[in-house]
Amino acid sequence: RYERVLAPIDGFAATLDALRAQGLRGCNVTVPFKLDAFAYALERSPDVRWAGASNTLTFADDTIKADNTDGVGLVRDITHNLGVRLHGKNVLLLGAGGAARGVLRPILNEQPARVVVKNRSLDKAQAWLAEMEQNADFNEVLGACDLRVAAWADEVTSEYDVIINATASGLSDTFTPPSGVAFSANALAYDMMYGKPTAFLAWARAHAHGVQTADGWGMLVEQAARSFHIWHGVAPDTASLVRQVGQGGA
């Protein structure tokens, strides 16, 4: 059985305690409780340690395991459903908040040539990079990738093959474009928000001829499938669901 459970803003742990007592096997966690899920867990996957947040909890053998499937879902949607390779590519990640933190490690696992994190607050992005460098596997995951951070208004122009919007701009109807951004030929613009056309995708289409665009519907499907696999050991076939609803931004 899979159903929605609402927790009071100050009662996440108590709600989970009650559900575990009923025999709950695991749960997905949405905002604003992903940080609470990180703190609630007794074991944390490498993706969770990098993100500092969890969207998937598993209860078994008197332990609480935390995973973060957002990044795996994003990468699978881009590489499998959209057919875009990240290996050797120049990737721009917009934002340095929770959404960006949840996807960076899986992106780096694909061995892109370069990843730039652009954020309105450069100090916040720099502090995040310093935190990542404390992970024991940082150098192993980074490999030969050139990872750097940049200010939103940095006017040094660079060309990108994949641009991922991890900011909350999709919640509004406005998007202030970052400076110094150019699209390569056949580039992909991906908005992690889904459900409606976003100003970021509209900007991408107007900014570059022939750019491929996609919203986060496929990511939502793929992260849920990964969570299901963690709980049940079975990988659902996501293709029919992705085709049924379609890539809303495409």
Side-chain angles (χ1 to χ4, degrees):
R1 188 173 83 246
Y2 188 88
E3 60 187 44
R4 183 174 62 177
V5 175
L6 299 179
I9 194 67
D10 58 349
F12 177 80
T15 300
L16 266 291
D17 287 344
L19 291 172
R20 288 173 61 208
Q22 297 172 25
L24 187 74
R25 174 174 291 186
C27 64
N28 284 129
V29 180
T30 61
V31 292
F33 295 119
K34 292 186 179 183
L35 296 180
D36 297 89
F38 177 92
Y40 189 78
L42 299 176
E43 299 179 26
R44 300 178 179 94
S45 72
D47 283 344
V48 168
R49 291 194 295 270
W50 272 62
S54 169
N55 77 329
T56 303
L57 294 175
T58 304
F59 311 123
D61 301 326
D62 297 322
T63 193
I64 305 166
K65 300 178 181 179
D67 288 280
N68 193 313
T69 64
D70 287 334
V72 173
L74 171 71
V75 167
R76 179 166 173 82
D77 190 35
I78 290 175
T79 60
H80 182 77
N81 298 331
L82 298 174
V84 176
R85 282 168 51 89
L86 294 175
H87 181 83
K89 298 295 183 65
N90 291 326
V91 179
L92 175 63
L93 183 60
L94 298 177
R101 288 171 177 252
V103 301
L104 181 59
R105 186 177 187 273
I107 290 173
L108 292 175
N109 282 336
E110 296 297 304
Q111 300 179 338
R114 181 171 59 125
V115 173
V116 176
V117 177
K118 256 185 181 284
N119 194 53
R120 287 181 175 82
S121 170
L122 181 58
D123 289 347
K124 181 178 180 180
Q126 290 171 330
W128 177 29
L129 178 59
E131 289 176 20
M132 287 187 290
E133 291 173 343
Q134 302 306 309
N135 284 285
D137 62 347
F138 176 78
N139 290 326
E140 179 182 353
V141 173
L142 185 63
C145 178
D146 176 18
L147 173 64
R148 62 183 66 183
V149 298
W152 200 264
D154 186 349
E155 295 184 355
V156 178
T157 300
S158 297
E159 189 174 88
Y160 298 98
D161 305 300
V162 178
I163 299 180
I164 301 167
N165 182 30
T167 74
S169 63
L171 297 174
S172 67
D173 295 324
T174 61
F175 174 74
T176 302
S179 301
V181 174
F183 290 81
S184 66
N186 303 313
L188 169 67
Y190 191 104
D191 200 323
M192 289 171 60
M193 301 297 293
Y194 63 93
K196 66 174 185 178
T198 68
F200 164 75
L201 294 179
W203 166 76
R205 295 188 191 102
H207 193 70
H209 176 72
V211 65
Q212 181 181 2
T213 60
D215 69 11
W217 166 252
M219 174 184 172
L220 176 70
V221 173
E222 297 295 347
Q223 66 82 24
R226 178 58 182 165
S227 295
F228 188 91
H229 183 265
I230 290 171
W231 297 325
H232 301 290
V234 177
D237 180 9
T238 59
S240 60
L241 185 56
V242 171
R243 285 197 304 266
Q244 176 184 342
V245 178
Q247 293 288 335

